[in-house]
């Protein structure tokens, strides 16, 4: 995946944070018991990152509300 930096930068350009969205998904994927398939690109995680970001962002909306 070191050779595929552009996909990682693309995810970040779309608003996904490394610590807020990407790292938690990677941590979650590493604890599964299933044998991991060969991963060649960051795009393999794009759907999982998008799903995680959606749930995290909804949780943040519950905590923070717009000032009046």
């Amino acid at each position: 995946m070191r050779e595929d930096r552009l996909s990682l930068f693309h995810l970040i350009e779309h608003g996904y944070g490394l610590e807020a969205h990407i790292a938690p998904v990677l941590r979650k994927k590493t604890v599964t018991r299933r044998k991991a398939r060969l991963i060649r690109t960051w795009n393999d995680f794009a759907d999982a990152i998008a799903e995680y970001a959606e749930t995290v962002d909804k949780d943040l909306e519950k905590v923070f509300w717009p000032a009046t």
Side-chain angles (χ1 to χ4, degrees):
M1 288 185 6
R2 281 184 241 152
E3 302 297 322
D4 187 40
R5 291 182 198 99
L6 292 177
S7 294
L8 176 61
F9 294 145
H10 184 64
L11 289 169
I12 293 170
E13 286 174 354
H14 276 80
Y16 300 117
L18 191 57
E19 287 297 321
H21 304 114
I22 299 170
V25 169
L26 295 179
R27 280 189 215 105
K28 190 175 186 181
K29 295 284 185 184
T30 60
V31 297
T32 61
R33 291 179 168 239
R34 290 184 294 154
K35 183 179 177 184
R37 60 184 169 81
L38 184 61
I39 299 168
R40 295 178 187 250
T41 177
W42 285 97
N43 285 330
D44 292 340
F45 296 102
D47 292 337
I49 291 168
E51 289 174 16
Y52 179 79
E54 187 175 314
T55 60
V56 168
D57 293 344
K58 284 182 182 177
D59 290 342
L60 285 176
E61 288 175 6
K62 293 176 187 174
V63 175
F64 297 102
W65 54 88
T68 57

